[in-house]
Amino acid sequence: MVDPFADNLVISGLNPSATPSLIMGQPDGMTVDFNVGDSMVVEFTDNMLIPSSTTAPDLLIYFPMMSPEQAAMVEISSDNENWIPLGMIPVDFAVSPYPAFSSSSYRALIDIDFANLDPEINYKFVRISDMSILPTSVTQVSPAYSVMPGVMIDAVEANPMHPVNTEEIPEFPTVALPVAAIIGIAFFFQHRKE
């Protein structure tokens, strides 16, 4: 069975005191703590994000309760270079309680069908960027950047029903030569009948 949770930590733009590996695997109540402005990229290796053509969520992000000032941008990519923004958690997506660890645990239910994605492409990278708002009492942004708490993320899950497409398209000679041979044999037998 495919493990639907993030498999690799690709880029960690987190404060050194954070433990980015906590975002790997299934939700367990242990979170990766972002500071304001932090970001990180995770990768799926055995499943991918593709439109499901249903209202079912294709991407789920688990997190504890957020304050009104906290938010994170969610983006996906097929190559870790070209990013497609999906929106902000928690404000842009449906959110449901996930009380496995506490009454304040939630998950964002993200349906990516609206993004007009190519279903033939493996969208396997997810970037989460903290977009929390600094309190108005903070006058110097630079010193505050390294100390202001942002979002906390527990786990990232992709729809396990979409395994990574590993089929290779055969090269032209691999297909053309057998077809040409069959046509040649058919032509030969047709010619002999005449």
Side-chain angles (χ1 to χ4, degrees), residues 161-175:
M161 300 306 293
H162 301 309
V164 170
N165 180 11
T166 56
E167 294 181 10
E168 293 184 9
I169 298 173
E171 295 180 10
F172 178 76
T174 306
V175 176

Side-chain angles (χ1 to χ4, degrees), residues 123-179:
Y123 295 96
K124 56 183 184 174
F125 297 97
V126 176
R127 180 165 65 187
I128 301 171
S129 303
D130 183 89
M131 303 293 285
S132 299
I133 301 170
L134 290 169
T136 54
S137 59
V138 176
T139 56
Q140 294 182 329
V141 174
S142 296
Y145 175 87
S146 62
V147 298
M148 292 303 302
V151 297
M152 296 179 285
I153 304 295
D154 188 349
V156 182
E157 179 183 6
N159 190 327
M161 300 306 293
H162 301 309
V164 170
N165 180 11
T166 56
E167 294 181 10
E168 293 184 9
I169 298 173
E171 295 180 10
F172 178 76
T174 306
V175 176
L177 291 178
V179 171

Side-chain angles (χ1 to χ4, degrees), residues 4-165:
F5 298 97
D7 301 296
N8 291 329
L9 175 64
V10 180
I11 296 174
S12 172
L14 303 176
N15 183 286
S17 63
T19 308
S21 61
L22 292 177
I23 205 170
M24 296 293 100
Q26 63 186 5
D28 56 7
M30 304 290 288
T31 62
V32 175
D33 298 344
F34 288 63
N35 283 343
V36 171
D38 285 353
S39 67
M40 68 186 307
V41 175
V42 296
E43 177 186 16
F44 296 97
T45 59
D46 51 7
N47 59 323
M48 64 176 172
L49 294 161
I50 62 171
S52 61
S53 300
T54 70
T55 56
D58 305 297
L59 176 65
L60 295 92
I61 298 179
Y62 296 78
F63 58 91
M65 182 181 290
M66 295 185 187
S67 71
E69 295 81 20
Q70 292 177 314
M73 172 62 73
V74 179
E75 301 166 278
I76 61 173
S77 172
S78 62
D79 57 9
N80 196 25
E81 292 181 7
N82 300 293
W83 292 95
I84 300 168
L86 298 179
M88 305 264 279
I89 56 171
V91 294
D92 291 333
F93 306 110
V95 173
S96 70
Y98 187 74
F101 312 107
S102 75
S103 59
S104 61
S105 292
Y106 297 88
R107 58 185 176 181
L109 311 175
I110 304 172
D111 182 5
I112 64 173
D113 287 65
F114 75 92
N116 296 319
L117 303 176
D118 184 340
E120 301 300 318
I121 295 178
N122 295 340
Y123 295 96
K124 56 183 184 174
F125 297 97
V126 176
R127 180 165 65 187
I128 301 171
S129 303
D130 183 89
M131 303 293 285
S132 299
I133 301 170
L134 290 169
T136 54
S137 59
V138 176
T139 56
Q140 294 182 329
V141 174
S142 296
Y145 175 87
S146 62
V147 298
M148 292 303 302
V151 297
M152 296 179 285
I153 304 295
D154 188 349
V156 182
E157 179 183 6
N159 190 327
M161 300 306 293
H162 301 309
V164 170
N165 180 11

